[in-house]
Every structure is written in structure tokens, then in C-alpha cells.
Amino acid sequence: MTFSIVTVVGARPQFIKAAALSAAFTKSDRSTERLLHTGQHFDDKMSSIFFDQLGIEPPRWNLAMGGGNHGAMTGRMLEGIEKILLENTPDMVLVFGDTNSTLAGALAAAKLRIPVAHIEAGLRSFNFYQPEEINRVLTDRVSELLFCPTQLSADYLQRENIRGKVEVVGDIMHDSVLLARKINAKLSTPLDDLELQSKGYALMTLHRAENVDEPVRLAAMIDYIRSQAAGQPVIFPVHPRTRQRLAEFKISLDGFRCIEPVGYLDMIALLEHASELYTDSGGLQKEALFCETRCVTLRDETEWPETIETGWNRLWTATHHEPLSREPVFGDGTTAHKIVASVETYLDTRSGLL
Ligand code: UDP
């Protein structure tokens, strides 16, 4: 018997995680995994480049449902995903992280009584004004399998008396970084293309609503990075949302080298050689740690406090990093295989019970 799995993706970080997971599913003859792309991120630089470069099978379905306010977007996705699940009746639905696509995929499946597995379960920023925090908490509530990256995330779930089965499997982004490094050895040359010296530049990304939608805060962050970088070039692959806001608020980017968003291979190569990273991305805080590049997180709290404890990361509100530690807190880069094995064991048990 072959299990049928639908993995819902929609945003850039999910394509990166799907690359590692789909590679592990391909190696199993017990399951067939198909990707459902909601279309939350749709332009080439935010979507198709990841499928092309990371060798991911093109999505079996693409709903093209990006754009609009959170409620409208999530509602359209919910309807579109439900239709596909009704027609295809998979054994399980997998979702990653904390986007609107995550929540829509989890809700659509749970209401059809299709079991949901949440990858990156149990993360908490404890800032309930953040749309991502709402998506995380609600997705965890309706999931049957909760794959936690660290013990801390599993502890949070235990405190919330979560209903599903909680398992600490390590962080799938570690698998993704290892995959990119393997391909990069042959392919990526962004330092040459941008005429940069290793450790001679800083790297930054900025895209979260709470940072870029408010002109005073956005300007304060730009000023902060400019002063911290102290004359070093700052390479800034600009997220489409941030580009729009910077233009709208007429904020000067003197001293920054703004480029289009880059593919994952270039991002990892740029990160490995940067002197420091400034970011509000969740994923990049860990990638910096895996690449041993110091990170300053442009947020007032983080859902990845483990990265702060290692000393490789600090919040912009803190003045210095903790002493460095090399304790591996995010697993050993075999998370995708652990997830596939656990999903298949769960479905075996379930089919025995039905
Ligand atoms: N990333 C990328 N190109 C870029 C900027 C980011 O490949 O120009 C990658 C980055 O390495 C990380 C992911 O995209 O793996 C982070 O995505 P994002 O910041 O959109 O989301 P978050 O991590 O906050 O969920």
C-alpha cells in the first residue's frame, strides 16, 4: 500500500523546506508526495527560482491565490485547498511554518478529517499581534503530528496541553542548508558577480509587516543598520513588499546595495561569506548559525531564542552577543528522513485501526 501525501506550500521559506522534505519522500517507495502551491508568493524571484535550482518537482496544483488582505487571502486558499482535497482524498496533509498557506492547508484538511502534520511546530514569539503567531498557534491546535525543531518548542506544546503527537526531529532548514551547500560547490558565484570580498560586507533582509508597514520604525531600522555597518557595504536583497513601502515612505537607502531577491543558492553563499547578517526573517536566524555568521535580529522578540543562547544571534535591542557555543541545538541535518519515517509509521498504525 502506498500512502498519498499532499504538502501545502505557498511562500518562499516553504519552497526551501520542501526541497529537503521532497528529496526524502522521493527515496521512499511507501509514499507518494505531491505539492499544492497556493500561489501566496508568485513572482519568479520569490517562487519558481527555488523549484528550478533546488530540483523540486513542479507543484501538482497551483491555486494562484496570492494578494489581498489576510482574511480574504486565507479564505480563498481554504476554499481552493478544500476542493483539491475532496477530489484527491490524500491520507495526510503536511504544512510548514506559519504563513497564511500553512493555516489554510491545516484548516481545510482538519475539517475534512484528513490528518495534518505540522513541520516547525511549537514555535512561539508570544506576540499575538503578529499574524505569524496566530497562524502557528492555530495550526498546532488542529494537527495530529507536531514535528518540533527543538526541545523548547516541544515544551511549549506540552504546556498548552496540545492534543496531537509531539516529536522533536531537529530543524529541516539544517537539511536545506546542507543541500544548498552541496549544489553550491559547483554552481553559485554571487561574490564574483557583486565584486565582494569574503567577510568584507554585511548582508540584510527585512520584510515583516510589523517592521516595514510603519514608516517611523522602518526608517529607524535602516538608520540602525547604517550605523552598525560602519561604512562596510550592506547587501540588501529587497523583498517586494519592502520595496513598495520604502518607495511609499520615501526612505533613503544611501550606503546600501539594493538588489533583487536572490535564489537560495546565492543566499547561502552570500551568508557564508558575510561579516554579519541583519534580518527579521525567522529562517535566516538559524541559517546564520549553520553558516557560522553572526546575526542581529531586527525584532523585539524572537521565536528562535535558542539561536540567542548559542551566541550567534542577538536582538537589535541588545547591545552584545552571548559568548559563542557550538552545541548543536537544531539536530544533525537528517530531519526530513525522520519526518518521512514518522509519517509512514503513523499512517501504518492508522490504517491498521480503520
Ligand atoms: N531567502 C532567499 N533569498 C532572498 C531572501 C531570503 O533565498 O533574497 C531565503 C532565506 O535564506 C530563508 C528564507 O528565504 O531560507 C526566508 O524567507 P523569509 O525571510 O521570506 O521568511 P521567514 O524566514 O521569515 O519565514
Side-chain angles (χ1 to χ4, degrees):
M1 174 174 176
T2 311
F3 298 121
S4 155
I5 312 288
V6 169
T7 301
V8 177
V9 293
R12 175 169 66 186
Q14 292 160 343
F15 312 139
I16 292 165
K17 292 162 201 168
L21 188 69
S22 298
F25 267 121
T26 309
K27 290 195 184 122
S28 163
D29 52 11
R30 304 220 46 219
S31 310
T32 305
E33 186 215 22
R34 287 169 297 172
L35 293 184
L36 190 170
H37 188 338
T38 62
Q40 185 174 341
H41 283 170
F42 46 84
D43 76 33
D44 285 354
K45 292 194 171 67
M46 297 295 286
S47 177
S48 55
I49 188 170
F50 297 95
F51 289 85
D52 298 344
Q53 289 192 337
L54 299 175
I56 320 170
E57 277 282 302
R60 168 70 181 75
W61 304 276
N62 192 329
L63 298 178
M65 280 174 175
N69 289 333
H70 281 268
M73 190 202 292
T74 312
R76 284 197 310 272
M77 288 176 184
L78 191 54
E79 191 176 352
I81 296 169
E82 180 178 67
K83 191 161 170 281
I84 288 165
L85 297 182
L86 279 169
E87 284 164 7
N88 293 276
T89 59
D91 296 303
M92 186 152 220
V93 168
L94 266 55
V95 294
F96 297 100
D98 56 20
T99 68
N100 291 337
S101 303
T102 314
L103 180 62
L107 277 183
K111 293 216 170 186
L112 295 174
R113 299 200 187 171
I114 299 170
V116 177
H118 186 201
I119 299 165
E120 289 194 324
L123 304 192
R124 297 292 180 263
S125 67
F126 299 102
N127 175 357
F128 220 70
Y129 292 114
Q130 238 191 352
E132 292 88 353
E133 183 77 352
I134 298 170
N135 292 339
R136 283 179 203 125
V137 171
L138 297 182
T139 301
D140 284 340
R141 299 302 309 175
V142 298
S143 294
E144 298 293 328
L145 288 184
L146 297 105
F147 293 117
C148 294
T150 63
Q151 188 55 47
L152 180 65
S153 42
D155 292 345
Y156 287 152
L157 291 175
Q158 200 171 20
R159 266 189 247 162
E160 291 175 19
N161 283 326
I162 214 82
R163 194 181 52 91
K165 179 169 180 273
V166 175
E167 220 177 304
V168 179
V169 290
D171 196 300
I172 194 151
M173 294 209 92
H174 196 178
D175 299 31
S176 305
V177 169
L178 295 177
L179 177 73
R181 280 178 158 170
K182 210 155 109 190
I183 311 176
N184 259 351
K186 294 177 273 183
L187 279 181
S188 179
T189 56
L191 265 66
D192 292 346
D193 299 346
L194 293 166
E195 298 180 351
L196 296 168
Q197 301 294 325
S198 185
K199 303 295 166 189
Y201 63 95
L203 180 65
M204 74 169 278
T205 76
L206 195 63
H207 75 290
R208 295 215 171 232
E210 73 255 32
N211 284 336
V212 304
D213 288 355
E214 218 271 284
V216 175
R217 186 165 170 99
L218 180 54
M221 292 209 153
I222 297 289
D223 284 346
Y224 171 79
I225 299 163
R226 190 181 281 119
S227 73
Q228 293 281 308
Q232 269 201 113
V234 181
I235 305 300
F236 182 12
V238 190
H239 190 284
R241 171 196 197 113
T242 312
R243 187 174 288 282
Q244 205 182 341
R245 295 291 184 262
L246 286 164
E248 206 176 300
F249 305 148
K250 298 190 173 50
I251 293 174
S252 154
L253 285 165
D254 273 359
F256 292 81
R257 277 182 67 182
C258 297
I259 58 176
E260 290 289 314
V262 295
Y264 192 58
L265 301 180
D266 283 356
M267 194 63 193
I268 294 303
L270 283 170
L271 181 58
E272 281 188 302
H273 293 280
S275 60
E276 197 149 50
L277 169 74
Y278 299 88
T279 191
D280 62 357
S281 153
L284 271 160
Q285 294 173 56
K286 291 170 295 161
E287 287 165 344
L289 169 70
F290 302 142
C291 294
E292 301 199 342
T293 297
R294 281 185 196 243
C295 174
V296 177
T297 293
L298 302 165
R299 307 220 335 243
D300 300 343
E301 76 284 307
T302 174
E303 64 279 19
W304 296 107
E306 301 92 336
T307 57
I308 307 262
E309 282 154 28
T310 66
W312 288 98
N313 189 15
R314 72 170 164 89
L315 298 179
W316 78 313
T317 47
T319 49
H320 58 275
H321 288 86
E322 298 291 321
L324 288 183
S325 124
R326 280 165 212 276
E327 279 284 300
V329 280
F330 290 103
D332 58 2
T334 60
T335 296
H337 287 288
K338 290 189 183 114
I339 292 173
V340 170
S342 178
V343 162
E344 289 173 350
T345 304
Y346 171 85
L347 291 174
D348 268 335
T349 314
R350 194 165 187 269
S351 53
L353 292 176
L354 291 178

